Amino acid sequence: MKHLLPIALTVLLLACCTTPGEYRAMRHGLDSINGLNRSDRPFSPADVQPYVSYFDRHGSGNDRLLAHYLLGRAYHEQGEAPMALRCYQEALTAADTTAADCDYAQLSRVYGQTCELFYYQGFYQEELQYRDFAIRCAWLGKDTLAAILNYEQKSHTYRYLHEEDSVVAVCEKSAALYTLYGYPDYAASVLGTCLRTLIEQGDYQKAKKYIDIYEAESGFFDSNHNIEHGREIYYNVKAYYYLGVGKLDSAKYFFWKELQFGKDLNNQNAGAKGLAETFKRLHKPDSVAKYALYGYNLNDSLYRQRSTEEIVKIQSAYKYSRLQEVARIESEKAARRSTTIWVCVTFIILLLLLIYIITVTLIHKQQDTERRYLESLEIIQQAKEDIKKLSIYEEINKNLIEEKESVITRQVDLQQSMLEEEPHIQHYADKSLRMTEIFHRFETMAITGNQPLAADWIQLENAFGVFYPGFVRFLNKHRHMINDKEYKTCLLLRLSLKPTTISNMLDVSPSYISNIRVEMLEKLFSLKGKAKEFDSLIQKTY
């Protein structure tokens, strides 16, 4: 409703039409920016915004699709993932798929870029869904290569989902399609993607066949059979193939080759690990110790690198809700379909008047609820202070202390009742907690990777006791069923921190956090399910 007044004013201002000359000039400018995008030359959101504003008023579905897509690309290149995703969703909404001239090839590119953001933020199921949309649009747009490339990308997502059979199936089907449509180098390249999976599954015959195709037809190797820079991890894959078939000297050669040419941390760590395993089979303990120690020393650097990458992902998606943005876009789209200018304006004015009356009424009601909630907090605080003073002469003031404690219990029960019955008070309690010093301290530690001190945990528990009394009661009721790390995991999940962040703060592995969440779902809620189900239940406990 709050968007209706701006929309009404916009309708009045845009009653005039554009001229063909203005349209041609603006379309030429938009195509120029699209040329910069395709040639990977830089442009900023400020460069694109005038075209978005213009074509939202005067353009076709294809014009709006391209304008919002380019705005998303500008934000994407600046590392602003939330804004980029918002623009891509607006581009998808702008596309008119009922039109005969719908630019499906461009629509496929928008879906593809959206998939990239989902992939790097760990939204794998959403990425697979949008990848199918991208494939369908590419075929409709007669962009064969884009359709196959999008299908190939699904193999990487299935690998993260540990669906190894799907990885092989997608790679083989992609290779068949590339071959069918005349892209033999692409076909060879995608077969290289599934080699590690085949080796881990023990299918050495097929792995050898694909190795030969990859080396002969991908175009990545020079005349001396050395792979191009940046792809040295292939030596690791080939070494494990030889390790699997028992050719230990060949395995050793390719692990050494990886160490020699692959200078990044991943290659160095993988090569050292492989050599340690090879020398173990060769019964050379000194060499095993040498490379095991080298790999161990690399682990800290590799861990820091991955932690930094994870923090960047967290920051890029911080305080952003994709579903809210989609709902907002759909609301604006529905508003743009208003019947006529003057009927719409008249309706909006009357509606705004009604909304104003309702809003004022709701605000007064919310203010009254907030006042009672704050009074309850103040009564509890005053009662606690009185108890401290009365405790000096405990025997004399025993009855008064019990009275104050009774006051606290009644007020806590009142708060709990308000939290259970009033979503507004839940929001108010969340907002109040987020304004505390201890919340900001934990928020900072989540980003920097630091671990809380004992005093930090005590202060956090006290803050939960003030704002989420039911949550504290719930944990205390089941405290005998969970250990210290499980208890702290509940506190951090209630702060809406991600499991990877929690594992860093508690100095445990991500798999440990995943396992105990499943276990606590059964311990605390008597349910069997997935870790995310526990997260949802614990975050709804006030």
Short mmCIF file of all heavy atoms in Angstrom, two decimals, residues 51-103:
data_model
loop_
_atom_site.label_atom_id
_atom_site.label_comp_id
_atom_site.label_asym_id
_atom_site.label_seq_id
_atom_site.Cartn_x
_atom_site.Cartn_y
_atom_site.Cartn_z
N TYR A 51 18.23 4.89 -18.64
CA TYR A 51 17.57 4.03 -19.62
C TYR A 51 16.51 3.16 -18.95
O TYR A 51 15.45 2.89 -19.53
CB TYR A 51 18.60 3.15 -20.33
CG TYR A 51 19.63 3.97 -21.08
CD1 TYR A 51 20.88 4.22 -20.51
CD2 TYR A 51 19.33 4.54 -22.31
CE1 TYR A 51 21.82 4.98 -21.18
CE2 TYR A 51 20.26 5.31 -22.99
CZ TYR A 51 21.51 5.53 -22.42
OH TYR A 51 22.44 6.30 -23.07
N VAL A 52 16.78 2.71 -17.72
CA VAL A 52 15.78 1.95 -16.98
C VAL A 52 14.53 2.80 -16.75
O VAL A 52 13.39 2.36 -16.99
CB VAL A 52 16.35 1.45 -15.63
CG1 VAL A 52 15.25 0.82 -14.76
CG2 VAL A 52 17.47 0.45 -15.85
N SER A 53 14.74 4.03 -16.28
CA SER A 53 13.61 4.93 -16.02
C SER A 53 12.82 5.20 -17.30
O SER A 53 11.59 5.19 -17.30
CB SER A 53 14.12 6.25 -15.42
OG SER A 53 14.82 6.02 -14.22
N TYR A 54 13.54 5.44 -18.40
CA TYR A 54 12.87 5.78 -19.67
C TYR A 54 12.07 4.59 -20.20
O TYR A 54 10.88 4.71 -20.53
CB TYR A 54 13.90 6.22 -20.71
CG TYR A 54 13.29 6.53 -22.06
CD1 TYR A 54 12.78 7.78 -22.35
CD2 TYR A 54 13.22 5.54 -23.05
CE1 TYR A 54 12.20 8.06 -23.58
CE2 TYR A 54 12.65 5.81 -24.28
CZ TYR A 54 12.14 7.06 -24.54
OH TYR A 54 11.57 7.33 -25.75
N PHE A 55 12.69 3.41 -20.29
CA PHE A 55 12.02 2.28 -20.90
C PHE A 55 10.95 1.67 -20.00
O PHE A 55 10.05 0.99 -20.49
CB PHE A 55 13.04 1.22 -21.34
CG PHE A 55 13.84 1.63 -22.53
CD1 PHE A 55 15.19 1.90 -22.43
CD2 PHE A 55 13.21 1.79 -23.76
CE1 PHE A 55 15.93 2.30 -23.54
CE2 PHE A 55 13.93 2.19 -24.88
CZ PHE A 55 15.29 2.46 -24.77
N ASP A 56 11.02 1.90 -18.70
CA ASP A 56 9.92 1.50 -17.83
C ASP A 56 8.65 2.25 -18.19
O ASP A 56 7.53 1.75 -17.99
CB ASP A 56 10.28 1.75 -16.36
CG ASP A 56 11.01 0.58 -15.74
OD1 ASP A 56 11.10 -0.48 -16.37
OD2 ASP A 56 11.50 0.73 -14.60
N ARG A 57 8.80 3.47 -18.75
CA ARG A 57 7.63 4.27 -19.12
C ARG A 57 7.24 4.08 -20.57
O ARG A 57 6.06 4.06 -20.91
CB ARG A 57 7.92 5.76 -18.87
CG ARG A 57 8.15 6.11 -17.40
CD ARG A 57 8.59 7.54 -17.22
NE ARG A 57 9.79 7.84 -18.02
CZ ARG A 57 10.48 8.96 -17.91
NH1 ARG A 57 10.12 9.89 -17.05
NH2 ARG A 57 11.55 9.17 -18.64
N HIS A 58 8.23 3.96 -21.44
CA HIS A 58 7.95 4.03 -22.87
C HIS A 58 8.38 2.80 -23.67
O HIS A 58 8.16 2.76 -24.88
CB HIS A 58 8.65 5.26 -23.48
CG HIS A 58 8.31 6.54 -22.79
ND1 HIS A 58 7.04 7.05 -22.76
CD2 HIS A 58 9.09 7.41 -22.09
CE1 HIS A 58 7.04 8.19 -22.08
NE2 HIS A 58 8.26 8.43 -21.66
N GLY A 59 9.01 1.84 -23.06
CA GLY A 59 9.60 0.74 -23.82
C GLY A 59 8.72 -0.49 -23.91
O GLY A 59 7.70 -0.62 -23.21
N SER A 60 9.13 -1.40 -24.75
CA SER A 60 8.48 -2.71 -24.87
C SER A 60 9.02 -3.65 -23.79
O SER A 60 9.94 -3.29 -23.04
CB SER A 60 8.77 -3.30 -26.25
OG SER A 60 10.16 -3.59 -26.38
N GLY A 61 8.46 -4.86 -23.76
CA GLY A 61 8.97 -5.84 -22.80
C GLY A 61 10.43 -6.15 -23.02
O GLY A 61 11.21 -6.28 -22.06
N ASN A 62 10.88 -6.21 -24.29
CA ASN A 62 12.29 -6.48 -24.59
C ASN A 62 13.18 -5.33 -24.14
O ASN A 62 14.30 -5.55 -23.66
CB ASN A 62 12.48 -6.72 -26.08
CG ASN A 62 11.90 -8.05 -26.53
OD1 ASN A 62 11.71 -8.95 -25.71
ND2 ASN A 62 11.60 -8.18 -27.80
N ASP A 63 12.69 -4.09 -24.30
CA ASP A 63 13.47 -2.92 -23.86
C ASP A 63 13.68 -2.96 -22.36
O ASP A 63 14.80 -2.75 -21.86
CB ASP A 63 12.75 -1.63 -24.24
CG ASP A 63 12.63 -1.42 -25.74
OD1 ASP A 63 13.54 -1.86 -26.48
OD2 ASP A 63 11.63 -0.82 -26.17
N ARG A 64 12.60 -3.21 -21.62
CA ARG A 64 12.70 -3.22 -20.15
C ARG A 64 13.56 -4.39 -19.68
O ARG A 64 14.32 -4.27 -18.71
CB ARG A 64 11.30 -3.30 -19.52
CG ARG A 64 10.46 -2.05 -19.76
CD ARG A 64 9.21 -2.05 -18.89
NE ARG A 64 8.32 -3.15 -19.21
CZ ARG A 64 7.39 -3.11 -20.16
NH1 ARG A 64 7.26 -2.01 -20.89
NH2 ARG A 64 6.61 -4.14 -20.39
N LEU A 65 13.41 -5.53 -20.34
CA LEU A 65 14.23 -6.71 -20.02
C LEU A 65 15.71 -6.38 -20.11
O LEU A 65 16.49 -6.65 -19.18
CB LEU A 65 13.87 -7.84 -20.97
CG LEU A 65 14.80 -9.07 -20.99
CD1 LEU A 65 14.75 -9.80 -19.66
CD2 LEU A 65 14.42 -10.02 -22.12
N LEU A 66 16.12 -5.77 -21.22
CA LEU A 66 17.54 -5.46 -21.43
C LEU A 66 18.02 -4.39 -20.46
O LEU A 66 19.12 -4.49 -19.90
CB LEU A 66 17.77 -5.01 -22.88
CG LEU A 66 19.22 -4.66 -23.25
CD1 LEU A 66 20.14 -5.85 -23.01
CD2 LEU A 66 19.30 -4.19 -24.69
N ALA A 67 17.21 -3.36 -20.23
CA ALA A 67 17.62 -2.26 -19.36
C ALA A 67 17.85 -2.74 -17.93
O ALA A 67 18.89 -2.46 -17.31
CB ALA A 67 16.56 -1.14 -19.39
N HIS A 68 16.91 -3.50 -17.38
CA HIS A 68 17.06 -3.99 -16.00
C HIS A 68 18.19 -5.02 -15.90
O HIS A 68 18.89 -5.08 -14.89
CB HIS A 68 15.74 -4.60 -15.51
CG HIS A 68 14.71 -3.58 -15.13
ND1 HIS A 68 14.75 -2.88 -13.96
CD2 HIS A 68 13.62 -3.13 -15.82
CE1 HIS A 68 13.73 -2.05 -13.90
NE2 HIS A 68 13.02 -2.18 -15.01
N TYR A 69 18.37 -5.81 -16.95
CA TYR A 69 19.47 -6.77 -16.96
C TYR A 69 20.82 -6.06 -16.91
O TYR A 69 21.70 -6.44 -16.13
CB TYR A 69 19.39 -7.63 -18.23
CG TYR A 69 20.62 -8.46 -18.49
CD1 TYR A 69 20.97 -9.53 -17.67
CD2 TYR A 69 21.46 -8.18 -19.57
CE1 TYR A 69 22.11 -10.28 -17.92
CE2 TYR A 69 22.60 -8.93 -19.82
CZ TYR A 69 22.91 -9.98 -18.98
OH TYR A 69 24.04 -10.72 -19.22
N LEU A 70 20.99 -5.01 -17.72
CA LEU A 70 22.27 -4.28 -17.73
C LEU A 70 22.51 -3.57 -16.40
O LEU A 70 23.65 -3.49 -15.94
CB LEU A 70 22.30 -3.29 -18.89
CG LEU A 70 22.35 -3.92 -20.28
CD1 LEU A 70 22.25 -2.85 -21.36
CD2 LEU A 70 23.64 -4.72 -20.47
N LEU A 71 21.44 -3.08 -15.77
CA LEU A 71 21.60 -2.48 -14.45
C LEU A 71 22.07 -3.54 -13.45
O LEU A 71 22.95 -3.28 -12.61
CB LEU A 71 20.27 -1.86 -13.98
CG LEU A 71 20.31 -1.10 -12.65
CD1 LEU A 71 21.33 0.05 -12.71
CD2 LEU A 71 18.93 -0.56 -12.30
N GLY A 72 21.51 -4.74 -13.56
CA GLY A 72 21.96 -5.84 -12.69
C GLY A 72 23.41 -6.20 -12.95
O GLY A 72 24.17 -6.48 -12.02
N ARG A 73 23.84 -6.19 -14.23
CA ARG A 73 25.22 -6.50 -14.56
C ARG A 73 26.17 -5.46 -13.93
O ARG A 73 27.26 -5.80 -13.46
CB ARG A 73 25.42 -6.53 -16.07
CG ARG A 73 24.79 -7.73 -16.76
CD ARG A 73 25.48 -9.04 -16.42
NE ARG A 73 26.88 -9.00 -16.80
CZ ARG A 73 27.88 -9.41 -16.03
NH1 ARG A 73 27.64 -9.88 -14.82
NH2 ARG A 73 29.12 -9.35 -16.45
N ALA A 74 25.74 -4.18 -13.96
CA ALA A 74 26.58 -3.13 -13.37
C ALA A 74 26.76 -3.38 -11.87
O ALA A 74 27.87 -3.28 -11.34
CB ALA A 74 25.94 -1.76 -13.62
N TYR A 75 25.68 -3.69 -11.17
CA TYR A 75 25.79 -3.98 -9.74
C TYR A 75 26.58 -5.27 -9.50
O TYR A 75 27.34 -5.36 -8.53
CB TYR A 75 24.40 -4.12 -9.12
CG TYR A 75 23.71 -2.81 -8.86
CD1 TYR A 75 22.49 -2.50 -9.47
CD2 TYR A 75 24.27 -1.86 -8.00
CE1 TYR A 75 21.85 -1.30 -9.22
CE2 TYR A 75 23.63 -0.65 -7.75
CZ TYR A 75 22.43 -0.37 -8.36
OH TYR A 75 21.81 0.82 -8.12
N HIS A 76 26.37 -6.24 -10.38
CA HIS A 76 27.08 -7.52 -10.25
C HIS A 76 28.59 -7.31 -10.29
O HIS A 76 29.34 -7.85 -9.46
CB HIS A 76 26.64 -8.44 -11.40
CG HIS A 76 26.97 -9.88 -11.18
ND1 HIS A 76 26.27 -10.91 -11.75
CD2 HIS A 76 27.95 -10.48 -10.44
CE1 HIS A 76 26.79 -12.06 -11.38
NE2 HIS A 76 27.81 -11.83 -10.59
N GLU A 77 29.05 -6.50 -11.25
CA GLU A 77 30.49 -6.26 -11.39
C GLU A 77 31.05 -5.47 -10.21
O GLU A 77 32.25 -5.54 -9.93
CB GLU A 77 30.76 -5.51 -12.70
CG GLU A 77 30.56 -6.35 -13.95
CD GLU A 77 31.44 -7.60 -13.95
OE1 GLU A 77 32.65 -7.45 -13.68
OE2 GLU A 77 30.91 -8.70 -14.19
N GLN A 78 30.20 -4.71 -9.52
CA GLN A 78 30.64 -3.96 -8.34
C GLN A 78 30.59 -4.81 -7.07
O GLN A 78 30.89 -4.34 -5.99
CB GLN A 78 29.78 -2.71 -8.17
CG GLN A 78 30.03 -1.65 -9.23
CD GLN A 78 29.29 -0.35 -8.95
OE1 GLN A 78 28.48 -0.26 -8.03
NE2 GLN A 78 29.57 0.66 -9.74
N GLY A 79 30.16 -6.07 -7.20
CA GLY A 79 30.11 -6.96 -6.05
C GLY A 79 28.90 -6.77 -5.17
O GLY A 79 28.85 -7.26 -4.05
N GLU A 80 27.86 -6.07 -5.67
CA GLU A 80 26.66 -5.84 -4.89
C GLU A 80 25.61 -6.88 -5.29
O GLU A 80 24.67 -6.61 -6.05
CB GLU A 80 26.15 -4.42 -5.11
CG GLU A 80 27.11 -3.35 -4.62
CD GLU A 80 26.54 -1.95 -4.74
OE1 GLU A 80 25.33 -1.77 -4.63
OE2 GLU A 80 27.35 -1.03 -4.96
N ALA A 81 25.77 -8.08 -4.75
CA ALA A 81 24.91 -9.20 -5.13
C ALA A 81 23.43 -8.95 -4.86
O ALA A 81 22.59 -9.27 -5.71
CB ALA A 81 25.38 -10.47 -4.42
N PRO A 82 23.03 -8.40 -3.69
CA PRO A 82 21.60 -8.18 -3.46
C PRO A 82 20.96 -7.28 -4.51
O PRO A 82 19.89 -7.58 -5.03
CB PRO A 82 21.57 -7.55 -2.07
CG PRO A 82 22.81 -8.03 -1.41
CD PRO A 82 23.83 -8.08 -2.50
N MET A 83 21.62 -6.15 -4.84
CA MET A 83 21.07 -5.24 -5.83
C MET A 83 21.05 -5.88 -7.21
O MET A 83 20.10 -5.69 -8.00
CB MET A 83 21.89 -3.94 -5.87
CG MET A 83 21.71 -3.06 -4.65
SD MET A 83 19.98 -2.55 -4.43
CE MET A 83 19.71 -1.59 -5.92
N ALA A 84 22.08 -6.66 -7.54
CA ALA A 84 22.11 -7.33 -8.84
C ALA A 84 20.96 -8.32 -8.95
O ALA A 84 20.26 -8.36 -9.97
CB ALA A 84 23.45 -8.05 -9.02
N LEU A 85 20.73 -9.11 -7.91
CA LEU A 85 19.65 -10.08 -7.93
C LEU A 85 18.29 -9.40 -8.04
O LEU A 85 17.40 -9.87 -8.76
CB LEU A 85 19.71 -10.94 -6.67
CG LEU A 85 18.80 -12.17 -6.62
CD1 LEU A 85 19.02 -13.05 -7.84
CD2 LEU A 85 19.04 -12.95 -5.35
N ARG A 86 18.16 -8.29 -7.37
CA ARG A 86 16.90 -7.52 -7.47
C ARG A 86 16.66 -7.07 -8.90
O ARG A 86 15.56 -7.20 -9.43
CB ARG A 86 16.97 -6.31 -6.53
CG ARG A 86 15.84 -5.31 -6.73
CD ARG A 86 15.98 -4.14 -5.80
NE ARG A 86 15.08 -3.06 -6.14
CZ ARG A 86 14.99 -1.92 -5.47
NH1 ARG A 86 15.76 -1.72 -4.42
NH2 ARG A 86 14.13 -1.00 -5.83
N CYS A 87 17.68 -6.55 -9.55
CA CYS A 87 17.54 -6.08 -10.94
C CYS A 87 17.24 -7.24 -11.89
O CYS A 87 16.44 -7.09 -12.82
CB CYS A 87 18.81 -5.35 -11.38
SG CYS A 87 19.11 -3.81 -10.50
N TYR A 88 17.90 -8.39 -11.67
CA TYR A 88 17.62 -9.54 -12.53
C TYR A 88 16.18 -10.00 -12.38
O TYR A 88 15.51 -10.35 -13.36
CB TYR A 88 18.56 -10.71 -12.18
CG TYR A 88 20.02 -10.45 -12.50
CD1 TYR A 88 21.03 -11.10 -11.80
CD2 TYR A 88 20.38 -9.57 -13.52
CE1 TYR A 88 22.36 -10.89 -12.09
CE2 TYR A 88 21.71 -9.33 -13.81
CZ TYR A 88 22.70 -9.98 -13.10
OH TYR A 88 24.02 -9.75 -13.40
N GLN A 89 15.66 -9.98 -11.16
CA GLN A 89 14.27 -10.36 -10.95
C GLN A 89 13.33 -9.36 -11.63
O GLN A 89 12.31 -9.74 -12.20
CB GLN A 89 13.96 -10.44 -9.44
CG GLN A 89 14.66 -11.56 -8.70
CD GLN A 89 14.12 -12.93 -9.07
OE1 GLN A 89 13.09 -13.03 -9.73
NE2 GLN A 89 14.80 -13.99 -8.67
N GLU A 90 13.67 -8.08 -11.58
CA GLU A 90 12.85 -7.08 -12.26
C GLU A 90 12.92 -7.26 -13.77
O GLU A 90 11.92 -7.04 -14.48
CB GLU A 90 13.33 -5.67 -11.87
CG GLU A 90 12.98 -5.32 -10.43
CD GLU A 90 13.57 -3.99 -9.98
OE1 GLU A 90 14.59 -3.55 -10.56
OE2 GLU A 90 13.03 -3.41 -9.04
N ALA A 91 14.07 -7.66 -14.28
CA ALA A 91 14.20 -7.93 -15.72
C ALA A 91 13.31 -9.09 -16.12
O ALA A 91 12.62 -9.04 -17.15
CB ALA A 91 15.65 -8.22 -16.07
N LEU A 92 13.30 -10.15 -15.31
CA LEU A 92 12.46 -11.32 -15.61
C LEU A 92 10.98 -10.95 -15.57
O LEU A 92 10.18 -11.43 -16.38
CB LEU A 92 12.75 -12.44 -14.60
CG LEU A 92 14.16 -13.02 -14.63
CD1 LEU A 92 14.36 -14.01 -13.50
CD2 LEU A 92 14.45 -13.68 -15.97
N THR A 93 10.61 -10.08 -14.62
CA THR A 93 9.23 -9.64 -14.52
C THR A 93 8.84 -8.78 -15.71
O THR A 93 7.71 -8.82 -16.19
CB THR A 93 9.03 -8.85 -13.21
OG1 THR A 93 9.42 -9.67 -12.11
CG2 THR A 93 7.59 -8.45 -13.03
N ALA A 94 9.79 -7.98 -16.21
CA ALA A 94 9.51 -7.07 -17.33
C ALA A 94 9.31 -7.80 -18.64
O ALA A 94 8.63 -7.30 -19.54
CB ALA A 94 10.66 -6.07 -17.47
N ALA A 95 9.90 -8.98 -18.80
CA ALA A 95 9.82 -9.70 -20.07
C ALA A 95 8.37 -10.11 -20.37
O ALA A 95 7.66 -10.60 -19.50
CB ALA A 95 10.70 -10.94 -20.03
N ASP A 96 7.97 -9.88 -21.62
CA ASP A 96 6.62 -10.25 -22.06
C ASP A 96 6.70 -11.54 -22.89
O ASP A 96 6.92 -11.50 -24.10
CB ASP A 96 6.01 -9.12 -22.88
CG ASP A 96 4.56 -9.40 -23.28
OD1 ASP A 96 4.02 -10.45 -22.85
OD2 ASP A 96 3.98 -8.60 -24.02
N THR A 97 6.53 -12.68 -22.24
CA THR A 97 6.67 -13.96 -22.92
C THR A 97 5.47 -14.29 -23.80
O THR A 97 5.48 -15.29 -24.53
CB THR A 97 6.88 -15.10 -21.90
OG1 THR A 97 5.81 -15.07 -20.95
CG2 THR A 97 8.19 -14.92 -21.16
N THR A 98 4.42 -13.45 -23.71
CA THR A 98 3.27 -13.66 -24.59
C THR A 98 3.46 -12.98 -25.95
O THR A 98 2.70 -13.25 -26.89
CB THR A 98 1.99 -13.13 -23.93
OG1 THR A 98 2.11 -11.70 -23.76
CG2 THR A 98 1.75 -13.79 -22.59
N ALA A 99 4.47 -12.10 -26.04
CA ALA A 99 4.70 -11.37 -27.28
C ALA A 99 5.42 -12.27 -28.29
O ALA A 99 6.29 -13.07 -27.93
CB ALA A 99 5.53 -10.11 -27.02
N ALA A 100 5.07 -12.10 -29.56
CA ALA A 100 5.67 -12.92 -30.61
C ALA A 100 7.16 -12.65 -30.76
O ALA A 100 7.92 -13.53 -31.18
CB ALA A 100 4.95 -12.68 -31.93
N ASP A 101 7.59 -11.41 -30.44
CA ASP A 101 9.00 -11.05 -30.62
C ASP A 101 9.78 -11.09 -29.31
O ASP A 101 10.82 -10.44 -29.17
CB ASP A 101 9.11 -9.65 -31.24
CG ASP A 101 8.56 -8.57 -30.30
OD1 ASP A 101 7.80 -8.92 -29.36
OD2 ASP A 101 8.87 -7.38 -30.49
N CYS A 102 9.28 -11.83 -28.32
CA CYS A 102 9.98 -11.91 -27.03
C CYS A 102 11.42 -12.37 -27.25
O CYS A 102 11.68 -13.36 -27.94
CB CYS A 102 9.26 -12.88 -26.09
SG CYS A 102 10.08 -13.09 -24.50
N ASP A 103 12.37 -11.63 -26.65
CA ASP A 103 13.79 -11.93 -26.82
C ASP A 103 14.19 -13.05 -25.84
O ASP A 103 14.75 -12.81 -24.77
CB ASP A 103 14.62 -10.67 -26.57
CG ASP A 103 16.07 -10.84 -26.97
OD1 ASP A 103 16.48 -11.99 -27.28
OD2 ASP A 103 16.81 -9.85 -26.99
#
